[in-house]
């Protein structure tokens, strides 16, 4: 079984279509009660300034959030942007994983999330391979002394 963090990363990176489809499977199998309907809000982006190692707020970002309940388990969905339906789908999936007993389609949902994770890994590996081809290693550039002492002479 995939960790909550990895599952959320795969669902968010894969886009809303996968989350909507998986949430539909779960909602067909068990009743879902909306605790907090999808709503928009602002979150502050906190950044660490590397020279002084101090924190400051870069600005605000729009986000959508939703909370649902399946049985006694509550799930939350939060995404950047104004997509309340996506946040609701993420909340339904989160609640399904927390529910006890687990809903029937959860094994299929888990397999589909793992498959989507493998697709994302292949895409990331292909992007890394494209970047690696153009990478320059300055330590292997022979014949030139680029140190400060060489410039001063």
């Amino acid at each position: 079984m995939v960790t909550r963090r990895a599952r959320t990363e795969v669902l968010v990176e894969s886009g809303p279509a996968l989350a909507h489809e998986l949430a539909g499977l779960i909602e067909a199998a068990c009743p879902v009660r909306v605790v907090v309907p999808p709503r928009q809000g602002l979150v502050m982006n906190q950044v660490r300034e590397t020279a002084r190692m101090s924190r400051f707020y870069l600005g605000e970002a729009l986000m959508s959030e939703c909370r649902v309940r399946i049985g006694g388990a509550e799930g939350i969905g939060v995404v950047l942007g104004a997509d309340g339906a996506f946040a609701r789908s993420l909340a339904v999936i989160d609640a399904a994983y927390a529910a006890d007993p687990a809903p029937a389609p959860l094994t299929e949902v888990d397999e589909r999330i793992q498959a989507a994770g493998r697709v994302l890994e292949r895409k990331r590996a292909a992007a890394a391979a494209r970047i690696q081809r153009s990478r320059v290693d300055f330590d292997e550039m022979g014949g030139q002394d680029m140190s400060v002492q060489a410039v001063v002479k």
Side-chain angles (χ1 to χ4, degrees):
M1 195 178 244
V2 183
T3 64
R4 184 179 191 187
R5 179 184 176 100
R7 179 177 65 238
T8 304
E9 181 181 347
V10 167
L11 288 169
V12 170
E13 293 291 324
S14 296
L18 177 66
H20 293 319
E21 190 175 332
L22 298 178
L25 289 172
I26 294 167
E27 289 184 79
C30 54
V32 175
R33 186 171 60 93
V34 177
V35 177
V36 177
R39 63 182 180 180
Q40 295 176 358
L42 295 173
V43 291
M44 294 295 291
N45 294 326
Q46 191 178 60
V47 180
R48 182 178 303 275
E49 193 267 319
T50 56
R52 294 185 185 153
M53 297 303 286
S54 61
R55 294 181 180 181
F56 67 96
Y57 291 102
L58 187 61
E60 297 174 332
L62 179 68
M63 62 86 150
S64 298
E65 71 172 321
C66 181
R67 288 183 187 266
V68 301
R69 185 177 295 273
I70 296 177
E74 190 169 304
I76 184 168
V78 180
V79 292
L80 285 176
D83 195 349
F86 190 18
R88 185 182 188 284
S89 294
L90 291 175
V92 168
I93 295 167
D94 189 44
Y97 272 92
D100 188 32
L106 197 60
T107 55
E108 180 185 349
V109 169
D110 199 41
E111 290 170 1
R112 301 264 309 268
I113 290 173
Q114 289 177 4
R118 289 189 294 271
V119 169
L120 281 176
E121 284 301 317
R122 284 196 295 273
K123 285 181 182 178
R124 288 177 184 158
R130 279 195 311 271
I131 292 170
Q132 189 65 27
R133 283 195 304 255
S134 64
R135 184 174 175 196
V136 176
D137 189 1
F138 291 101
D139 292 335
E140 294 182 9
M141 293 178 66
Q144 296 179 347
D145 189 3
M146 299 299 289
S147 66
V148 175
Q149 290 82 15
V151 174
V152 172
K153 292 179 186 176

